[in-house]
């Protein structure tokens, strides 16, 4: 299967200068625009945000070993109170891009001639580190289950009177006793 990568695509890297000489190495620092749809339901990397990469490409017998770290911004919403959440994550990754399909297993990455595509590697590394339930703070109290107000914005002791539905019809039968009128 031939990949036919576009050498002008931002996440496609040329390995031309490594040749196929095991032991040759190149280090790179890149800032690339984030691809679309890197994330989970509640948090992810904003499309076109700057992703900072530190890479090491090493030629080995079977292909090119890429080792690196990526620093990416994150944006989403708190799983408890739905407030916006922004942060960043740093992920490490390592991937061997094989020279030929004969040497590779079904899910292994392949070089397209002298080109390799880092986007799937970044996507896998970032998505695996994302929290499924991101929080704006560890002690986020969330939303009131009765009225939906954000509990961090509510007055202390925020609560609602709960009337048992079985007794609700009796509520107006007895006059309320007011302690201020007692002598």
């Amino acid at each position: 299967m031939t990949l036919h990568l576009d050498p002008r695509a931002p996440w496609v890297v040329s390995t031309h200068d490594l040749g196929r000489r095991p032991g040759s190495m190149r280090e790179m620092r890149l800032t690339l625009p984030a691809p679309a749809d890197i994330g989970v339901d509640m948090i992810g990397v904003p499309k076109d945000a700057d992703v900072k990469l530190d890479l090491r490409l090493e030629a080995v017998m079977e292909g090119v070993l890429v080792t690196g770290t990526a620093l990416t911004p994150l944006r989403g919403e708190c799983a408890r109170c739905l407030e916006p959440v922004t942060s960043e994550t740093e992920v490490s990754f390592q991937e061997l891009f094989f020279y030929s399909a004969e040497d590779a297993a079904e899910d292994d990455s392949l070089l397209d001639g002298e080109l390799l595509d880092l986007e799937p590697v970044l996507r896998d590394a970032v998505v695996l580190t994302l929290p499924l339930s991101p929080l704006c703070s560890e002690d986020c109290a969330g939303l009131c289950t009765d009225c939906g107000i954000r509990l961090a914005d509510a007055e202390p002791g925020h609560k609602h009177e709960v009337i048992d539905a079985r007794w609700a019809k009796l509520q107006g039968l007895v006059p309320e006793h007011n302690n201020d009128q007692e002598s």
Side-chain angles (χ1 to χ4, degrees), residues 161-174:
E161 184 178 339
V162 179
I163 299 170
D164 189 327
R166 296 172 294 183
W167 300 102
K169 290 191 178 200
L170 299 176
Q171 188 173 10
L173 296 178
V174 177

Side-chain angles (χ1 to χ4, degrees), residues 151-182:
L151 292 174
D153 298 336
E155 295 192 19
H158 176 84
K159 63 181 180 179
H160 299 272
E161 184 178 339
V162 179
I163 299 170
D164 189 327
R166 296 172 294 183
W167 300 102
K169 290 191 178 200
L170 299 176
Q171 188 173 10
L173 296 178
V174 177
E176 292 204 18
H177 186 62
N178 190 342
N179 291 335
D180 293 339
Q181 294 179 351
E182 286 184 12

Side-chain angles (χ1 to χ4, degrees), residues 1-62:
M1 177 178 104
T2 309
L3 302 173
H4 302 297
L5 296 174
D6 179 359
R8 296 174 307 251
W11 289 88
V12 174
V13 175
S14 172
T15 63
H16 175 74
D17 58 333
L18 294 177
R20 291 195 175 202
R21 298 180 308 274
S24 57
M25 180 187 77
R26 179 176 70 176
E27 292 185 345
M28 303 171 66
R29 286 203 164 150
L30 302 170
T31 300
L32 299 175
D37 302 324
I38 295 183
V40 293
D41 288 342
M42 303 213 49
I43 195 163
V45 180
K47 182 181 182 321
D48 294 329
D50 286 346
V51 177
K52 295 179 181 162
L53 297 165
D54 280 326
L55 303 172
R56 186 174 70 209
L57 284 66
E58 299 174 80
V60 295
M61 293 297 292
E62 302 84 6

